[in-house]
Amino acid sequence: MKRLQILITLAVSVLLAVGGYFVPAAPAATMGPVTDSIGVVKVSKGQPITIAYWLVITGPNGNLGIDSRNGIEIAIDDQKAVLGFPIKLIGEDTGCNAEGGTTAATKLAANNQLVAAVGSTCSSEARPGAPILWKAGIATVSPANTAPDLTDPKRSADYNGYLRTAHNDLVQGAVGATFVRTVLKLSKVATIHDGSPYAEGLANAFAASFKKQGGTITAAEAVNVGDTDMRPVLTKIAATKPELIYFPIFVAEGGFIARQSKEVSGLANVKLMGADGLFDPNFLKAAGDAATGMYQSSPDTRTEVLGSIYTVFLQKYEKKYGTKPLSIFHAHAYDATNLILQAIQKVGKTDAAGNLYIGRKALRDALFATKGWKGVTGTLTCNPYGDCADPHLAVYQITAGDPSKWDPGVTNPKPIYPVVK
Amino acid sequence: MGRTFWQRFSLISLFLWAFRITVVLVVVVGTYGTLSSGKYGPAQWIDIVIFGLSQGSIYALIALGYTMVYGILRMINFAHGEVFMSGAYTAYFAAAALNGFGFLARHPFLGLLIVLVVAMATATGVGLLVERIAYRPLRRAPRLVPLIAAIGASFFLQYTFRGFFGAGFQAYPDWPLFKGQMVVAGIGILRTQAVAIVGAVFLMVALYLFVMRTKIGTAMRAVSEDMEVAAMMGINVDRVIVVTFGVGAAAAGAAGVLYALVFKQVWFFMGFVPGIKAFTSAVLGGIGNIPGAMVGGLFLGLIESAGPILFLDGLGIPAPNQLKDVFAFTMLVLVLIFRPTGILGERLAAKKA
């Protein structure tokens, strides 16, 4: 019995020690000229200001995050320095799942030189990741999370350091539903999500708006991330005779659904529609010819909508990386980075020795105070819950299943709604 | 029988009985609900059964490797899913190269044969290397040690492939001949699935004959019954173990090709889930038993494909296909409660224990 007691005592003390290590140390602090209720980052003279990305940059969805990272790098190239200090970008891969988001955020939170972060890509990463960063006093601006609940007025205080330049999916769902109802003039739609906050939130937003406009949802189905055999679920959907299948999910599973829907009897001529998670040349690789003719809702990047400011940005992108944009959130990432850099510019103070001090709470407040700020994606104003986007959404159509013909926003995928003059 | 029924009736057995009754009730009520709703016609049920069979025959092929190695070494080769992946991945390179100059369109069956041989050869090579490097030095170690080595080997293979070929997926070329449907006895069936089912059944029969009819197969069965006595009878146990790993790995490599034919994507992590499912199939059928692995694989494929719709849809559960894994594993637990040795049982259970 005695040995057991010793063991338990040991285990408890080890747990306490480990737990104590992870309790965030972000007390009120005064450093140099700055006092901040959460903490202060000191950047010594000659050292760079560290900001981080946490995006999915490997795996089937890697293009979504690489595209955003390109936007961040261009923003840093453009700014070169803030208050005379160079900018250093570090980063973590998030894998488009909750575990990856947790790991990346935990690693970044351990870096006390980190001023702010840009990320994440998938909403499933932000849900556990953003609170971890905020506990360490690090504000993060997401260029790509779109799940409605992340900026819901009832969100918990854990998300107080979270903002996004991406649109809220309440908007995207409504645009998609309006397109299907008024342009395609269809009334029966089946939806499929993959259980991720992004896909589930968007499928629900679409369904709500579609029903309000007099349409019927014939089946609301779900698959798992990592599933390969979609035929049973598609057969079940076929029995409800929809005119369109709406599956706002990610590349691998989306590819399986597009391909296999052509092979299930009764679905050969049913139209397909996805969302921004599938706006990726890898999706064409996954779906092949089955993708041709499919619709996708995504941010609208046409010059008529965003103006020449986007065209200038796009030229920089293509010059630097020698490729067409890999996805759709590069401009949002560019804006997110610039928001952070201009907020640092506002709140950073230098002392006599030339060291820079940035208050964490002050930086967070400066980000939330953004109002009427002109970015590439529009005029950004942050609400108290972190929604900063000026959402412009379009519906695109894929015109060729060949990834080498990827030319987003121009011919493939080709924007078809709303019509601009 | 010193104690009465009620004295032996513990809380745990109460729980187990409640579990059995619940699952049986779910099955009966759900099936009745689905069938009486009339939402799905015979054509849809036939489709669902065929999907299940094609998926199940791939599970069965992989499960053979698990069950054969277990039968002989009493160890679970958790790297087997990665052997399957290595076969599928090399098959991709072979198929893409052949497709590059139109060979697949001109000689589809010869092309399939070449791709199969390449995949099986690679998988066998990987399987044998893993055996030589990770398992043989640990042959005399406690049972848990090779199990950990197997998990390590599994990670090593996954991340080696990731390092070589990237974390993204590769799209498999379309076989022009295997596009679309064909009609057999009035039933429409996808050509790729027909190839998968026929190929898997052919390989399983060949493997069964190999184990039952050849000299080395007899030696395998002897080693599986009693390794020490077999060694005394002059059987080279190491050689038999190598052959077992090789044959199991070749079956997994072939399964990789069939899987890629049906799903048309390969990536470094693709072996994990089918590996777990195939292991489940082996346990379901009775681990160590070759026909059991085949039955278990087909059963699991069918349950995954038809179970959610047949049992859960009738209960009014929304989006039941999301629960297909839950359902498959509940079935595993249920089978093991009623028949702890699996569907076909381990014939030599008493002797090995």
Side-chain angles (χ1 to χ4, degrees):
Chain A
M1 216 56 223
K2 204 153 197 188
R3 203 182 292 161
L4 190 69
Q5 273 176 359
I6 296 172
L7 267 177
I8 291 176
T9 321
L10 256 173
V12 168
S13 47
V14 166
L15 273 179
L16 280 177
V18 170
Y21 179 74
F22 284 111
V23 169
T30 303
M31 251 194 211
V34 177
T35 302
D36 193 277
S37 60
I38 297 177
V40 181
V41 186
K42 178 186 171 192
V43 184
S44 305
K45 195 180 176 192
Q47 294 296 311
I49 296 172
T50 310
I51 64 169
Y53 66 82
W54 52 304
L55 302 164
V56 48
I57 48 172
T58 62
N61 301 308
N63 277 345
L64 288 175
I66 293 173
D67 186 52
S68 299
R69 187 177 63 187
N70 292 349
I72 299 172
E73 288 172 355
I74 295 171
I76 293 174
D77 286 354
D78 282 0
Q79 293 284 333
K80 290 188 187 72
V82 174
L83 301 165
F85 287 76
I87 303 149
K88 182 173 127 192
L89 181 67
I90 60 171
E92 292 291 338
D93 182 21
T94 46
C96 201
N97 55 45
E99 297 78 21
T102 309
T103 314
T106 310
K107 271 168 114 173
L108 292 179
N111 183 344
N112 60 12
Q113 276 299 299
L114 183 60
V115 178
V118 181
S120 63
T121 305
C122 301
S123 301
S124 49
E125 304 155 352
R127 201 182 258 180
I132 294 173
L133 288 174
W134 183 235
K135 262 182 208 146
I138 299 164
T140 184
V141 185
S142 167
N145 299 154
T146 56
D149 63 346
L150 290 169
T151 54
D152 191 89
K154 283 190 246 105
R155 72 178 188 170
S156 93
D158 292 345
Y159 292 89
N160 277 351
Y162 174 85
L163 308 89
R164 63 176 163 203
T165 54
H167 55 267
N168 186 317
D169 272 342
L170 295 175
V171 184
Q172 180 170 210
V175 169
T178 310
F179 168 75
V180 174
R181 197 73 191 97
T182 61
V183 178
L184 298 180
K185 300 204 175 7
L186 303 179
S187 58
K188 292 196 295 182
V189 170
T191 64
I192 306 176
H193 69 75
D194 63 3
S196 68
Y198 157 74
E200 194 170 359
L202 186 47
N204 289 342
F206 177 93
S209 171
F210 193 64
K211 280 187 215 153
K212 211 184 272 168
Q213 300 179 51
T216 321
I217 300 294
T218 63
E221 285 295 332
V223 296
N224 296 311
V225 174
D227 274 2
T228 52
D229 197 0
M230 307 300 182
R231 293 175 181 104
V233 76
L234 289 169
T235 304
K236 186 163 183 287
I237 284 176
T240 67
K241 300 197 171 50
E243 295 162 313
L244 180 140
I245 304 175
Y246 182 66
F247 51 108
I249 57 175
F250 290 103
V251 169
E253 296 79 21
F256 286 126
I257 289 182
R259 245 184 222 270
Q260 294 172 16
S261 71
K262 302 291 173 202
E263 304 169 346
V264 168
S265 53
L267 293 182
N269 296 314
V270 168
K271 295 187 167 63
L272 302 175
M273 184 165 175
D276 41 13
L278 295 177
F279 202 91
D280 182 334
N282 267 344
F283 173 67
L284 302 186
K285 206 165 137 191
D289 288 335
T292 312
M294 186 174 148
Y295 303 102
Q296 290 176 325
S297 59
S298 231
D300 196 342
T301 55
R302 283 174 286 185
T303 317
E304 295 88 338
V305 177
L306 296 183
S308 58
I309 183 169
Y310 179 72
T311 326
V312 172
F313 168 78
L314 201 60
Q315 278 160 0
K316 283 184 209 157
Y317 187 111
E318 287 177 16
K319 190 166 162 243
K320 185 166 161 94
Y321 300 103
T323 165
K324 303 270 178 204
L326 299 167
S327 185
I328 198 74
F329 290 113
H330 41 269
H332 297 82
Y334 181 83
D335 280 356
T337 315
N338 279 328
L339 268 186
I340 290 173
L341 297 181
Q342 59 103 17
I344 294 173
Q345 180 113 37
K346 241 185 258 171
V347 303
K349 292 201 172 72
T350 41
D351 63 9
N355 301 318
L356 175 67
Y357 299 88
I358 303 161
R360 292 194 180 281
K361 177 81 166 45
L363 181 69
R364 180 255 174 216
D365 291 345
L367 283 168
F368 274 82
T370 304
K371 207 176 164 193
W373 184 81
K374 292 251 182 302
V376 173
T377 58
T379 307
L380 273 56
T381 298
C382 296
N383 77 4
Y385 312 105
D387 259 333
C388 302
D390 179 6
H392 298 287
L393 282 138
V395 175
Y396 296 76
Q397 187 168 27
I398 296 174
T399 52
D402 182 354
S404 66
K405 299 213 176 84
W406 175 257
D407 192 1
V410 186
T411 56
N412 187 34
K414 184 179 169 198
I416 53 171
Y417 171 88
V419 178
V420 290
K421 276 148 238 129
Chain B
M1 288 291 269
R3 295 182 297 173
T4 67
F5 175 77
W6 290 108
Q7 277 168 332
R8 281 184 287 127
F9 201 84
S10 71
L11 211 60
I12 290 170
S13 63
L14 184 76
F15 171 77
L16 283 180
W17 273 106
F19 181 75
R20 284 173 228 202
I21 292 167
T22 318
V23 176
V24 171
L25 266 182
V26 163
V27 167
V28 172
V29 176
T31 309
Y32 178 76
T34 308
L35 293 181
S36 64
S37 77
K39 268 196 274 184
Y40 311 101
Q44 269 130 10
W45 287 118
I46 290 170
D47 281 354
I48 287 173
V49 166
I50 291 173
F51 301 152
L53 284 180
S54 72
Q55 181 87 28
S57 52
I58 292 169
Y59 288 157
L61 264 187
I62 311 172
L64 287 173
Y66 278 106
T67 226
M68 282 167 47
V69 167
Y70 183 86
I72 287 189
L73 286 180
R74 301 285 167 280
M75 77 163 264
I76 293 156
N77 177 12
F78 270 117
H80 197 58
E82 276 53 55
V83 172
F84 158 80
M85 180 269 293
S86 70
Y89 228 114
T90 39
Y92 157 75
F93 289 113
L98 289 177
N99 195 36
F101 55 93
F103 191 82
L104 292 188
R106 270 178 281 136
H107 307 285
F109 286 104
L110 189 61
L112 181 62
L113 196 70
I114 295 175
V115 171
L116 266 175
V117 167
V118 169
M120 287 165 80
T122 318
T124 309
V126 170
L128 293 184
L129 269 181
V130 169
E131 194 272 334
R132 184 67 193 81
I133 295 169
Y135 304 151
R136 199 184 295 179
L138 302 172
R139 184 88 33 89
R140 307 262 167 255
R143 259 193 215 180
L144 213 52
V145 177
L147 188 76
I148 305 289
I151 294 171
S154 161
F155 280 128
F156 178 80
L157 288 173
Q158 269 173 23
Y159 288 91
T160 308
F161 273 79
R162 180 188 157 136
F164 278 143
F165 308 119
F169 62 89
Q170 313 286 344
Y172 223 63
D174 260 328
W175 236 270
L177 183 71
F178 300 146
K179 270 188 186 166
Q181 283 202 330
M182 56 194 241
V183 178
V184 183
I187 298 164
I189 173 170
L190 290 172
R191 286 169 196 267
T192 49
Q193 294 191 322
V195 172
I197 295 175
V198 171
V201 169
F202 174 77
L203 285 165
M204 284 190 274
V205 171
L207 200 113
Y208 189 72
L209 292 178
F210 173 78
V211 174
M212 299 315 270
R213 294 288 159 83
T214 61
K215 209 171 165 192
I216 184 82
T218 315
M220 277 164 72
R221 282 181 291 140
V223 172
S224 138
E225 248 179 68
D226 195 321
M227 198 184 279
E228 278 158 29
V229 175
M232 276 185 250
M233 296 296 151
I235 293 175
N236 184 343
V237 173
D238 267 342
R239 208 180 121 225
V240 168
I241 291 171
V242 166
V243 170
T244 310
F245 268 94
V247 171
V257 175
L258 300 179
Y259 180 93
L261 264 185
V262 176
F263 294 115
K264 302 195 175 72
Q265 278 184 23
V266 291
W267 69 308
F268 79 97
F269 203 57
M270 67 181 281
F272 181 71
V273 174
I276 297 286
K277 295 278 174 66
F279 171 60
T280 312
S281 312
V283 175
L284 248 170
I287 193 149
N289 181 318
I290 292 176
M294 304 179 192
V295 172
L298 292 176
F299 181 77
L300 191 71
L302 277 179
I303 281 290
E304 267 189 15
S305 160
I309 297 183
L310 186 58
F311 305 139
L312 299 182
D313 196 41
L315 297 175
I317 293 172
N321 270 289
Q322 218 182 359
L323 299 174
K324 70 171 199 205
D325 289 353
V326 178
F327 207 78
F329 287 104
T330 311
M331 275 299 160
L332 171 74
V333 173
L334 196 73
V335 167
L336 293 184
I337 288 178
F338 282 116
R339 275 191 70 85
T341 52
I343 297 175
L344 294 189
E346 198 182 69
R347 288 188 206 133
L348 303 164
K351 205 166 179 184
K352 279 170 186 165

